[in-house]
Amino acid sequence: ADMLFLARAEQGVRARDLVASSIAQEVGKTVEFLDLLLDEAGMSVQVEGDAVAPIETSLFRRALTNLLQNAIQHSRPGSRVLVRIGRDERSVAVSFSNPSAPIAPEQLRRLFDRFYRVDTSRRNSGENHGLGLSIVKAVAVMHNGTVFARSEGGVTTVGFSVALDG
């Protein structure tokens, strides 16, 4: 199903049924959905900011779920994930920051590639199929947005944006 979704996205399918939504509320629903995983890892989530953007909620939630699962998977137990929501004239961005091992710049550029894994020896690397962040990229593109990632000071930040003009 993930491969079919990615193929459709690559063929130019765009988000439809856009609804002006509070991004903080969507993040809250995602946190609630993954509450059991967070509890098992002894992790918490802090959300900063909010903005309203036109989104296809099912697609947007899929991207948020992948980002939060990624943060949980690659953080130490007991960590806190910081979710930042920001807006400029053209887009709304949401990012997930979590403590993690440093990621080299050449690896950061490939994070959103299909099947790419920074290091297969990383904790829990065998539990995924390497498509989560490529799905985030597809959702961003379907909303005329972009993706971004950075790793500095022991914190990895991964996120995406959606265009305000739909």
Side-chain angles (χ1 to χ4, degrees):
D2 289 340
M3 292 297 290
L4 180 59
F5 173 78
L6 290 170
R8 287 182 50 231
E10 286 175 358
Q11 292 173 356
V13 172
R14 295 288 176 216
R16 298 177 289 201
D17 303 322
L18 300 177
V19 177
S21 301
S22 160
I23 302 307
Q25 285 182 357
E26 294 301 326
V27 170
K29 291 174 186 174
T30 302
V31 169
E32 187 176 320
F33 178 69
L34 294 177
D35 189 50
L36 181 60
L37 287 178
L38 288 162
D39 282 348
E40 287 176 355
M43 296 177 67
S44 62
V45 176
Q46 177 183 339
V47 180
E48 292 182 356
D50 192 12
V52 173
I55 59 170
E56 185 172 330
T57 55
S58 63
L59 291 176
F60 196 85
R61 287 179 192 160
R62 186 173 189 179
L64 293 177
T65 299
N66 286 351
L67 286 171
L68 184 53
Q69 284 178 322
N70 190 64
I72 293 167
Q73 187 174 31
H74 298 295
S75 293
R76 293 178 300 282
S79 299
R80 181 186 59 143
V81 177
L82 175 60
V83 180
R84 287 189 178 106
I85 301 162
R87 175 191 166 128
D88 63 24
E89 313 80 50
R90 297 186 309 245
S91 65
V92 170
V94 59
S95 66
F96 288 70
S97 299
N98 59 282
S100 71
I103 301 173
E106 60 273 5
Q107 293 174 315
L108 283 171
R109 287 189 284 278
R110 298 198 55 212
L111 276 185
F112 297 95
D113 293 350
R114 279 190 208 183
F115 306 115
Y116 184 75
R117 296 181 190 167
V118 170
D119 181 358
T120 55
S121 66
R122 287 177 80 178
R123 184 174 70 86
N124 301 325
S125 69
E127 295 177 12
N128 62 55
H129 46 46
L131 293 176
L133 293 181
S134 60
I135 289 170
V136 171
K137 181 178 179 180
V139 170
V141 169
M142 293 170 90
H143 286 85
N144 296 317
T146 60
V147 292
F148 53 90
R150 62 185 169 275
S151 178
E152 51 199 29
V155 175
T156 297
T157 300
V158 182
F160 70 109
S161 68
V162 295
L164 287 171
D165 60 8

